[in-house]
Amino acid sequence: MSEQSVQVHRLEGKTAIVTGASRGIGLAIALRLVAEGAQVCITARNAEALHDAAAQFPKGSVIPLAGKAHDPDHRLEVLNAVAETFGQLDVLVNNAGINPVYGSVMDLDLAAARKITEVNVFGTLAWIQDTYRHVALDFAGRGGTVINVSSVTGQTPAPGIGFYGVTKAAIAHLTRTLAVEMGPKIRVNAVAPAVVKTQFAQALYEGKEAEVAARYPLGRLGNPEDIAATVAFLASSDSAWITGQVINLDGGLLAAGGTA
């Protein structure tokens, strides 16, 4: 991340929660928010990975709390910790998501489909509901901002991760629906990345990275930092008149008629 690309004071005095933040896109988002002046609570399932991630932040800028995004006790623990430590919450970034199986949707076990939906869709909705209802944080009173992480697979089918795309389509429409319901007090937006250099992408496209990158007009895969920069913009007052949007961060892929 270049120093020139960071708006150092843009988020000064703001606090945020970033789920799924132990690595990849979530970690990059949290680091960017802190670089722009915010204090952040990061959450993820793996406590060891989250501890390692927290070591990358300046002292006093981050609270790491491990737990499952769809666990109500974990959500309450995080919200209470943010209230006690920071005294406020301004930004909620829902990045937690899973895709435990690869293959055809027609061959997908329904129990697995329910699990993916529970984490990706219901978990996202539950974080928003619980944050909105947490009296001490007064999220609506502070003019809070919600940013969800969708995917271009929610718009175009992607072989091998079809049902993941179905849940990401749900998140995109959930974003638009809640923006209408929660305005004007709370803004709700989403980013929809294409293939970004993460462990998830490596598992799906191992050995094919150059072939996949060649389909993009920009000629490369995305970096987590590419996504983080847009999330920081949406978290700031620079986007004060933007809500209900799902911003494609796809390197021109969809414009070129490609799929993830």
Side-chain angles (χ1 to χ4, degrees), residues 36-207:
E36 295 204 16
Q39 294 178 299
V40 179
C41 178
I42 57 174
T43 81
R45 288 174 292 168
N46 188 308
E48 183 177 354
L50 193 66
H51 178 269
D52 292 342
Q56 301 181 43
F57 291 81
K59 186 176 181 180
S61 65
V62 66
I63 304 171
L65 287 172
K68 296 179 179 179
H70 59 291
D71 180 356
D73 292 334
H74 171 62
R75 293 194 299 271
L76 182 60
E77 176 191 23
V78 169
L79 294 168
N80 286 343
V82 170
E84 293 168 7
T85 305
F86 299 146
Q88 65 185 65
L89 180 65
D90 303 286
V91 181
L92 171 65
V93 180
N94 286 304
N95 175 64
I98 62 170
N99 187 65
V101 292
Y102 297 86
S104 166
V105 172
M106 284 301 296
D107 294 330
L108 181 63
D109 181 80
L110 289 182
R114 292 187 186 97
K115 185 67 174 180
I116 299 169
T117 305
E118 180 182 13
V119 176
N120 295 4
V121 182
F122 297 158
T124 295
L125 175 59
W127 270 107
I128 299 170
Q129 289 178 332
D130 289 354
T131 299
Y132 177 78
R133 294 167 181 166
H134 197 282
V135 175
L137 290 174
D138 190 23
F139 192 60
R142 293 189 60 81
T145 298
V146 176
I147 304 161
N148 300 320
V149 178
S150 181
S151 168
V152 297
T153 62
Q155 301 172 60
T156 59
I161 54 171
F163 197 78
Y164 174 83
V166 170
T167 63
K168 291 300 184 176
I171 289 172
H173 196 62
L174 177 66
T175 295
R176 291 185 284 264
T177 299
L178 290 180
V180 174
E181 286 190 8
M182 304 180 82
K185 292 184 177 180
I186 294 175
R187 294 188 300 117
V188 188
N189 292 293
V191 294
V195 181
V196 176
K197 293 180 181 178
T198 63
Q199 290 186 14
F200 177 73
Q202 289 173 351
L204 190 61
Y205 297 108
E206 184 176 4

Side-chain angles (χ1 to χ4, degrees), residues 172-254:
H173 196 62
L174 177 66
T175 295
R176 291 185 284 264
T177 299
L178 290 180
V180 174
E181 286 190 8
M182 304 180 82
K185 292 184 177 180
I186 294 175
R187 294 188 300 117
V188 188
N189 292 293
V191 294
V195 181
V196 176
K197 293 180 181 178
T198 63
Q199 290 186 14
F200 177 73
Q202 289 173 351
L204 190 61
Y205 297 108
E206 184 176 4
K208 300 179 181 178
E209 290 86 351
E211 176 186 340
V212 174
R215 303 204 305 261
Y216 289 75
L218 290 182
R220 67 171 177 86
L221 302 181
N223 295 311
E225 292 77 15
D226 295 326
I227 315 307
T230 301
V231 171
F233 163 70
L234 291 173
S236 76
S237 60
D238 289 344
S239 62
W241 209 56
I242 298 176
T243 196
Q245 301 302 305
V246 181
I247 300 176
N248 289 329
L249 302 175
D250 65 356
L253 182 68
L254 295 183

